[in-house]
């Protein structure tokens, strides 16, 4: 019976020692898992934070580009408006002067000549002004889209570099 008690005692001691070793191994693995999990979480938060900062910077630059575009469009509209007002004023003045000149015509032939000259001059002036206004609109559109095109180009380059 002493042998059985000794055997049971040794078996319990071995089982206790084995359980203790396995407990230590489990504890070490749990600590390692926790450390790796913490590291992965930290890296994920850092990447997310960096991405949010980058997106914020991109959004700010996009907003600045839109503001610059709107400013350029407004300047173009103001320039076009000034041209239209100037042309309208000069056209009105030229029309009044032509009407006064035509009203003083002494013959039908002189009247037709004066009216033809006025019409020719008015048409040339009109075509010249339309050309100037077209150039103003074209320049305004070009200036308005320049900041946006620059942002699109920068974004495309960034995406291509990320691939």
């Amino acid at each position: 019976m002493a042998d059985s008690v000794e055997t049971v005692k040794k078996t319990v001691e071995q089982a206790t020692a084995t359980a203790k070793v396995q407990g230590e191994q489990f504890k070490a693995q749990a600590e390692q898992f926790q450390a790796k999990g913490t590291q992965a979480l930290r890296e994920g938060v850092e990447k997310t934070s960096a991405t949010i900062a980058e997106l914020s910077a991109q959004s700010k630059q996009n907003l600045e580009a839109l503001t610059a575009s709107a400013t350029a469009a407004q300047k173009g509209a103001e320039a076009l408006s000034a041209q239209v007002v100037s042309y309208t004023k000069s056209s009105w003045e030229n029309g009044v002067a032509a009407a006064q000149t035509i009203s003083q015509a002494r013959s039908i032939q002189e009247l037709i000549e004066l009216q033809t000259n006025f019409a020719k001059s008015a048409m040339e002036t009109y075509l010249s002004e339309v050309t100037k206004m077209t150039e103003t609109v074209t320049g305004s559109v070009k200036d308005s889209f320049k900041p946006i095109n620059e942002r699109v180009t920068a974004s495309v380059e960034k995406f291509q570099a990320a691939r």
Side-chain angles (χ1 to χ4, degrees):
M1 190 152 150
D3 279 340
S4 318
V5 172
E6 275 303 308
T7 304
V8 169
K9 191 176 179 184
K10 282 184 184 181
T11 303
V12 169
E13 286 175 2
Q14 286 177 345
T16 303
T18 302
K20 196 174 192 180
V21 168
Q22 288 177 346
E24 291 297 321
Q25 288 175 345
F26 178 76
K27 182 179 176 185
Q29 288 176 345
E31 288 174 355
Q32 187 180 22
F33 178 76
Q34 182 182 9
K36 286 183 179 180
T38 302
Q39 180 65 27
L41 179 63
R42 183 176 296 125
E43 289 173 359
V45 168
E46 288 172 358
K47 285 180 182 179
T48 301
S49 180
T51 301
I52 289 172
E54 187 176 333
L55 286 174
S56 177
Q58 289 286 334
S59 295
K60 181 181 176 188
Q61 291 171 343
N62 290 344
L63 183 59
E64 289 171 353
L66 288 174
T67 302
S69 177
T71 300
Q74 179 183 1
K75 287 180 182 178
E78 288 172 359
L80 183 62
S81 177
Q83 285 178 336
V84 168
V85 167
S86 174
Y87 170 70
T88 302
K89 181 181 176 187
S90 69
S91 177
W92 178 260
E93 291 170 352
N94 291 340
V96 169
Q100 289 174 348
T101 303
I102 290 172
S103 69
Q104 296 173 0
R106 294 189 185 141
S107 69
I108 297 290
Q109 185 175 353
E110 184 181 359
L111 175 89
I112 292 173
E113 238 178 71
L114 290 172
Q115 187 176 9
T116 302
N117 289 339
F118 169 71
K120 182 180 176 184
S121 173
M123 184 56 75
E124 289 172 354
T125 303
Y126 172 76
L127 292 175
S128 172
E129 288 298 319
V130 166
T131 301
K132 288 179 191 175
M133 289 178 196
T134 301
E135 290 171 357
T136 299
V137 169
T138 302
S140 175
V141 168
K142 183 179 176 183
D143 292 345
S144 295
F145 279 104
K146 183 179 179 188
I148 294 171
N149 286 339
E150 289 172 354
R151 288 302 310 140
V152 168
T153 301
S155 295
V156 168
E157 288 173 355
K158 188 167 203 78
F159 286 128
Q160 287 178 343
R163 289 201 286 169

